[in-house]
Amino acid sequence: MGFAFLDILPENRRGLLARELLRDRLAPLVLRPRAKQGVSLPELGLHTHQLLLPIGPGDWKVLKPETRLKLWTATQKTAKKIGGAVLAVNRGLRPLPSQNPELFPIPVSRGDLFVLALALIVVEEGLNRYGREKLWLVGDFPGLFGLISLIGRIGAPVAIQSFSPSRFETIAYRILYEQGMALSVSYFNPSNWGPEDMVLLFDPVYLPFAAGAGKARNVFIIDLTDDSRSHAPRLESWLGAQGVDPSLKTLAPLLEAWFWGRTLNPDQTDVLPHEPLLPVRPASTSPDTCSRSAGQECFARIHETAGYISRIRQEGQELNLWGFFLDKDFRALYNTTQGTGTTI
């Protein structure tokens, strides 16, 4: 199997555990991870153990750091006991404790790199097949500039929009002047989007504004936020039938860990010969957006991220994975956020 999958409850708990005075006292005893039946995607040959941390995303956030640490330690021990070499984690479980290799020997896959690889796939489809002329990247995301560097090689102009554009300006302008890429940064403003544009959303805070713009201006919008669905309908249907949330918050870490698990299973006859696909310690070394720095270390992380994104893209192509994401009319699948706009 190569990896284990840690899931959480879709909703926050009620009752005694919802009471602040009892929550942190009871959590280490009542909320310990539990082994469940495995998760499978038969068409991919993906089979993994499943652990359930019986807590909702909001419950986890309000626990004291020391309580979260106790639960996380118990989770790592359980994952190691069932033989997981990698731990795929539901993206709704944040923040996670620092991934010290001595304390937590099992690397964690949160799906950041897979989301970026998926973004690259849909960008290529939008540019090559449907003639989109400009790309808008909305929100912050770990490793975003690795994706931007790959898009720059395609030659498409890219604009970053955010409620805090100053965070991106230093590195964006250095890329602009040193690499000759058509890259700009501005404050979030959907009225700037045109009917020939393509918008990628990474942060749910922008969704209410984006949906209205998509409907009014016929903009091609792709929702890559954690709760987004309909990326790969057949795979998501398999997950839903097994009681697993089929949104991107679970699909991305599962598939990223699946890629990585293949490289850790030399006995598999269908493993493609290559170097390790993902970082040795993805949770601790996964590059950030480099939004506040434009030094050489930042560019090294950007190139590292771009390399991992490219590897996932290539591996997915060789395994026919991307067909599950593009197996129907692309415009219908990615018309606007949550189907609120018109199909272009």
Side-chain angles (χ1 to χ4, degrees), residues 39-271:
V39 176
S40 299
L41 292 175
E43 293 180 88
L44 296 178
L46 183 156
H47 306 282
T48 181
H49 298 290
Q50 182 184 13
L51 301 177
L52 175 66
L53 197 60
I55 192 170
D59 298 324
W60 175 264
K61 291 180 181 178
V62 298
L63 289 174
K64 294 180 180 178
E66 55 267 28
T67 304
R68 290 200 297 261
L69 182 61
K70 291 179 181 178
L71 290 176
W72 188 243
T73 301
T75 298
Q76 285 260 328
K77 290 180 178 179
T78 305
K80 185 177 182 180
K81 184 182 298 184
I82 64 177
V86 184
L87 183 61
V89 179
N90 184 311
R91 295 177 61 80
L93 194 66
R94 59 166 65 94
L96 293 183
S98 176
Q99 298 303 295
N100 186 329
E102 296 181 359
L103 296 177
F104 308 119
I106 300 179
V108 172
S109 169
R110 298 192 58 85
D112 291 341
L113 292 168
F114 183 86
V115 172
L116 294 172
L118 175 59
L120 180 61
I121 289 292
V122 296
V123 163
E124 292 174 338
E125 186 79 357
L127 294 175
N128 298 332
R129 187 174 176 185
Y130 296 104
R132 302 296 92 188
E133 296 183 356
K134 185 174 182 178
L135 299 173
W136 299 86
L137 307 183
V138 179
D140 198 353
F141 195 82
L144 184 63
F145 278 96
L147 171 66
I148 291 173
S149 69
L150 294 173
I151 295 175
R153 299 173 192 176
I154 302 174
V158 176
I160 303 173
Q161 282 197 344
S162 168
F163 286 134
S164 302
S166 60
R167 299 184 65 247
F168 301 94
E169 289 175 350
T170 301
I171 184 63
Y173 286 130
R174 177 165 174 178
I175 291 178
L176 172 67
Y177 289 113
E178 293 194 5
Q179 300 184 14
M181 179 180 174
L183 177 63
S184 62
V185 179
S186 64
Y187 190 81
F188 177 69
N189 185 4
S191 63
N192 292 336
W193 307 343
E196 298 302 321
D197 295 345
M198 187 175 184
V199 179
L200 275 66
L201 294 172
F202 294 96
D203 190 329
V205 71
Y206 301 94
L207 280 173
F209 312 99
K215 185 175 183 179
R217 303 174 64 84
N218 203 27
V219 178
F220 198 179
I221 299 179
I222 297 172
D223 181 1
L224 292 172
T225 59
D226 285 350
D227 289 322
S228 62
R229 302 190 182 191
S230 298
H231 294 287
R234 289 161 62 193
L235 299 182
E236 293 171 16
S237 177
W238 275 101
L239 290 179
Q242 298 170 78
V244 177
D245 181 351
S247 66
L248 198 60
K249 71 172 64 171
T250 56
L251 187 63
L254 271 172
L255 292 178
E256 182 178 286
W258 173 64
F259 276 122
W260 192 16
R262 292 171 58 84
T263 70
L264 298 177
N265 283 307
D267 294 333
Q268 288 183 224
T269 58
D270 60 345
V271 170

Side-chain angles (χ1 to χ4, degrees), residues 6-58:
L6 177 64
D7 204 0
I8 59 175
L9 298 176
E11 303 292 340
N12 294 331
R13 297 185 66 106
R14 299 179 180 180
L16 292 176
L17 287 171
R19 300 181 182 180
E20 183 177 354
L21 293 177
L22 296 175
R23 189 167 45 221
D24 285 279
R25 294 182 181 181
L26 295 177
L29 300 175
V30 179
L31 303 181
R32 299 179 69 84
R34 307 166 186 174
K36 296 187 64 179
Q37 63 182 15
V39 176
S40 299
L41 292 175
E43 293 180 88
L44 296 178
L46 183 156
H47 306 282
T48 181
H49 298 290
Q50 182 184 13
L51 301 177
L52 175 66
L53 197 60
I55 192 170

Side-chain angles (χ1 to χ4, degrees), residues 247-318:
S247 66
L248 198 60
K249 71 172 64 171
T250 56
L251 187 63
L254 271 172
L255 292 178
E256 182 178 286
W258 173 64
F259 276 122
W260 192 16
R262 292 171 58 84
T263 70
L264 298 177
N265 283 307
D267 294 333
Q268 288 183 224
T269 58
D270 60 345
V271 170
L272 300 176
H274 50 52
E275 295 298 319
L277 180 64
L278 300 181
V280 175
R281 300 294 308 179
S284 58
T285 63
S286 181
D288 59 23
T289 56
C290 295
S291 55
R292 297 186 181 278
S293 168
Q296 291 303 119
E297 181 181 353
C298 172
F299 268 84
R301 294 201 300 271
I302 289 175
H303 294 315
E304 180 187 29
T305 305
Y308 291 131
I309 296 170
S310 296
R311 292 291 295 277
I312 291 177
R313 182 200 179 283
Q314 178 184 354
E315 181 91 347
Q317 190 170 23
E318 294 175 350

